[in-house]
Amino acid sequence: MSTYKKLLEFARDQLKESGISDADIDAWLLLEHTFGISRAWYYLHSDDEVSEADALRLLKLVKKRAMRIPLQHITGIQEFAGLEFEVNGDVLIPRQETELLVEEVLGVCDGKDVLDMCCGSGCIIISIARLGRPGRTVAADISEKALALAKKNAAKHQVNVEFVQSDLFAAIDGSFDIIVSNPPYIPSSEIESLMPEVRDHEPRLALDGTKDGLEYYRRIAAASGQHLKKGGRIYLEIGYNQAEAVTKLLSGAGFCDLNVKKDLSGHDRIVSARWL
Ligand code: GLN
């Protein structure tokens, strides 16, 4: 027999040993997920005994996490913009930095038609549809599996988003007031040096921005004008060192009013521009 407290300590030590930097947090989150308990409940019951079967349920998950499977693949969820999204190995796990992209678009999307290019889990367009008052909302991704999950997330949040399977703009009809995108932007050569959670478990298709990391920005910059109304705007998430290159691509394609926004860590993160 063990107690909640002993189990939490054991989980933390196991995760630390596997080189997980947030071992404390992850151990707690696995305990919370396995037993459905709150922090307050834990403090009152930390010395309660846990049955062997229950302890085993937790230890199985700890073992998975120690193998560097992302926590979100174990719990199946990630919170984003205050909403809960279902995630799996077919989509990029929504990142906190990306909330800034949503925040920017929420400020300008009232009554506007919005296209989310490379929607993955759907976190961006669903947050916009749920938290704002946009007009038509369309989301595209090349991956059918990603779209299947995005549709589930849209249903969960009861928003009306049209999902289209499309290699960038190939299957996109009509024009929009706003195009938003967080495309794959990691240079291929850097993928091997990423954390095992990302490198081995998140879809390469969602990470790899090809040789210089800029291929999708190149293609998006070149094609977006044909799908934007006059005066329409584009909002792109970028890697911390890509602001200059992406601004250049957009101005070269005919965009004006270029703007770069930093994230909470002080890194360049969003480039936006207007189409004339
Ligand atoms: N748009 C999705 C997100 O921001 C997926 C991004 C991607 O696959 N590169 O989470």
Side-chain angles (χ1 to χ4, degrees):
M1 281 286 187
S2 192
T3 66
Y4 289 100
K5 190 173 178 182
K6 281 189 200 149
L7 281 174
L8 182 60
E9 285 168 0
F10 178 78
R12 187 195 56 208
D13 293 346
Q14 290 287 108
L15 298 185
K16 238 183 219 154
E17 240 171 68
S18 314
I20 291 166
S21 51
D22 293 328
D24 273 323
I25 298 173
D26 283 16
W28 163 254
L29 290 172
L30 288 175
L31 201 79
E32 181 185 55
H33 174 76
T34 307
F35 303 121
I37 58 177
S38 69
R39 202 78 193 172
W41 189 93
Y42 170 79
Y43 285 128
L44 292 172
H45 297 271
S46 57
D47 292 322
D48 284 10
E49 293 206 332
V50 180
S51 74
E52 206 153 303
D54 276 349
L56 262 179
R57 281 201 293 135
L58 172 70
L59 295 183
K60 261 192 193 161
L61 302 190
V62 171
K63 202 168 160 192
K64 279 192 180 177
R65 184 68 191 96
M67 287 161 63
R68 309 299 297 259
I69 294 174
L71 182 82
Q72 296 88 337
H73 286 180
I74 298 170
T75 62
I77 50 175
Q78 171 64 44
E79 197 197 291
F80 177 85
L83 304 170
E84 208 171 78
F85 287 88
E86 211 175 293
V87 296
N88 61 28
D90 296 324
V91 298
L92 191 80
I93 297 168
R95 304 295 205 268
Q96 201 191 355
E97 305 89 90
T98 308
E99 293 179 347
L100 183 60
L101 194 59
V102 169
E103 203 182 312
E104 288 285 296
V105 175
L106 277 177
V108 294
C109 72
D110 254 27
K112 309 271 193 212
D113 296 344
V114 184
L115 169 67
D116 177 4
M117 184 46 71
C118 308
C119 69
S121 65
C123 63
I124 296 173
I125 196 71
I126 293 167
S127 302
I128 291 169
R130 184 64 210 246
L131 307 173
R133 282 193 199 80
R136 183 180 175 217
T137 46
V138 178
D141 203 284
I142 194 169
S143 157
E144 281 198 48
K145 285 180 178 168
L147 287 168
L149 187 67
K151 283 178 192 165
K152 254 178 136 180
N153 279 320
K156 173 176 166 140
H157 293 296
Q158 298 177 306
V159 292
N160 186 18
V161 176
E162 299 162 46
F163 290 98
V164 187
Q165 200 220 341
S166 181
D167 181 1
L168 293 182
F169 293 91
I172 300 299
D173 279 331
S175 49
F176 297 83
D177 299 291
I178 297 170
I179 294 177
V180 58
S181 182
N182 174 25
Y185 58 68
I186 300 173
S188 310
S189 59
E190 287 175 24
I191 303 250
E192 279 316 305
S193 60
L194 298 173
M195 293 153 63
E197 283 86 346
V198 181
R199 184 190 64 211
D200 302 336
H201 297 280
E202 293 201 76
R204 201 149 288 222
L205 188 64
L207 299 168
D208 194 336
T210 75
K211 209 164 184 254
D212 61 357
L214 298 170
E215 186 58 16
Y216 294 97
Y217 298 115
R218 240 175 245 123
R219 293 174 60 191
I220 290 171
S224 284
Q226 293 154 37
H227 295 278
L228 276 173
K229 300 179 191 170
K230 201 166 166 233
R233 299 196 67 100
I234 187 163
Y235 292 83
L236 300 173
E237 178 170 324
I238 55 159
Y240 70 97
N241 56 0
Q242 294 173 328
E244 200 187 320
V246 174
T247 350
K248 251 196 203 146
L249 285 170
L250 287 171
S251 54
F255 282 87
C256 63
D257 290 356
L258 284 124
N259 195 305
V260 180
K261 270 255 153 98
K262 289 189 191 302
D263 63 20
L264 293 171
S265 329
H267 295 129
D268 290 339
R269 190 59 66 192
I270 311 288
V271 171
S272 65
R274 197 156 60 91
W275 182 248
L276 280 185

